[in-house]
Amino acid sequence: MNTPRGGIVDRIRHPEHTGENRCLPCTAVNAGIAVALGVAVGIGVAPAAGAVVVAASLAAIWLRGYLVPGTPQLTKRYLPKRVLALFGKVPDEPGQRAADAAADVDPESYLLSEGVLVETDDGSDLTYAPWFASAWRAHLDGDEIDDAAAVTRIADIGEVDDASLVVEERGNAVFAAVDGERVGHWVSRAAFRADVAADRVLRERSDGWSNLSQSARSTVLGGLRLFVETCPSCGGDVSLGEEVVSSCCTTRDVVVARCEGCDARLLEIEPGSLDTAAD
């Protein structure tokens, strides 16, 4: 879809802080500032002037996501966690999200029982079983995923109607939604391709795969990416490392599986999740 560019509104608008990317805590703080500023002007100058200030300030918040420069950093530093929690902005304790997500199934136990994972020769770690690694790579090499195919593959994984499924790529990430509700999120197209190939192999070779709930399958597929050694997109080596991820209101340490060749992220989890998986 082509849209005219270069207008005043387009130059002012900050899409990284508006629309689906809008931060509710930042918006709430700035709206409060706008109202307070408008009241002060209305009392000190004239009610009409105050109304103009409020209208102009709210327009700026709508277009830019915030009124006060540096709002994301200020909100992150000074807004109490209990306030951020009201908007779902406080990250869980390390490992909690993984534990909650895995309530239906323990990925490692399931994958070991199905013979998908085996111990390395020295017994110090786990790796893909040769049969799974071969079948997984065969699906990756033989499955070209364009936009139409992406919808079909995600519909298969989530068992949803592909007619109502919307798939979008934002930055490097892949999002899937049905009627505005998110049903899937991958940190990169490489991660998405890894899950698609793994899902197809498990559908063919695991009798119990179809008996798992959709959330349990998603958990298992995410767990499988922890053991990816070669990138699904470029074939480069994948390594694990710790990074700091910053959102508008929080910062957190994460363990990232990243391709050394194309720099694609395959996995992003809380450090405590690794301890939970090892328990």
Side-chain angles (χ1 to χ4, degrees):
M1 179 182 296
N2 295 321
T3 57
R5 297 180 179 273
I8 294 177
V9 171
D10 288 336
R11 291 198 294 270
I12 296 175
R13 189 188 301 275
H14 283 188
E16 65 271 23
H17 297 300
T18 58
E20 293 186 355
N21 296 324
R22 183 180 298 280
C23 172
L24 294 181
C26 292
T27 300
V29 169
N30 279 264
I33 293 172
V35 172
L37 184 61
V39 170
V41 172
I43 294 174
V45 181
V52 170
V53 168
V54 172
S57 299
L58 293 179
I61 295 170
W62 177 67
L63 289 170
R64 298 170 61 84
Y66 56 85
L67 176 65
V68 180
T71 288
Q73 288 72 32
L74 294 173
T75 305
K76 183 188 305 180
R77 179 174 297 179
Y78 297 112
L79 205 61
K81 285 188 175 182
R82 64 179 179 274
V83 177
L84 292 174
L86 295 175
F87 298 93
K89 286 290 183 176
V90 178
D92 299 321
E93 293 299 319
Q96 183 60 47
R97 270 187 287 185
D100 292 342
D104 293 312
V105 63
D106 176 64
E108 185 176 303
S109 296
Y110 177 84
L111 293 169
L112 284 169
S113 67
E114 294 292 319
V116 175
L117 292 179
V118 295
E119 289 189 351
T120 55
D121 291 339
D122 60 6
S124 63
D125 202 354
L126 298 175
T127 188
Y128 289 167
W131 72 264
F132 177 82
S134 176
W136 181 71
R137 178 51 64 180
H139 276 292
L140 286 172
D141 293 341
D143 195 6
E144 291 296 328
I145 303 177
D146 57 16
D147 291 343
V151 171
T152 301
R153 305 296 185 270
I154 294 175
D156 288 344
I157 293 176
E159 293 187 345
V160 296
D161 181 7
D162 56 4
S164 60
L165 186 65
V166 176
V167 179
E168 293 182 310
E169 286 193 51
R170 290 185 231 139
N172 296 319
V174 178
F175 295 86
V178 174
D179 297 329
E181 182 178 351
R182 184 181 297 178
V183 295
H185 168 220
W186 293 265
V187 292
S188 67
R189 178 166 275 259
F192 167 63
R193 295 191 73 231
D195 280 7
V196 166
D199 176 71
R200 291 197 152 196
V201 174
L202 291 170
R203 284 177 185 273
E204 294 170 355
R205 303 287 290 272
S206 171
D207 293 335
W209 185 243
S210 60
N211 295 327
L212 296 180
S213 67
Q214 187 274 331
S215 62
R217 288 197 299 272
S218 294
T219 300
V220 172
L221 292 174
L224 263 176
R225 274 185 267 126
L226 182 62
F227 302 95
V228 172
E229 297 179 352
T230 58
C231 177
S233 293
C234 74
D237 292 335
V238 174
S239 60
L240 287 175
E242 290 195 16
E243 299 181 11
V244 177
V245 174
S246 178
S247 66
C248 61
C249 294
T250 61
T251 58
R252 57 194 176 94
D253 295 325
V254 296
V255 174
V256 174
R258 185 188 293 276
C259 173
E260 297 177 1
C262 66
D263 204 39
R265 289 186 174 207
L266 275 297
L267 186 70
E268 180 182 297
I269 58 175
E270 305 285 349
S273 299
L274 296 177
D275 298 332
T276 302
D279 290 342

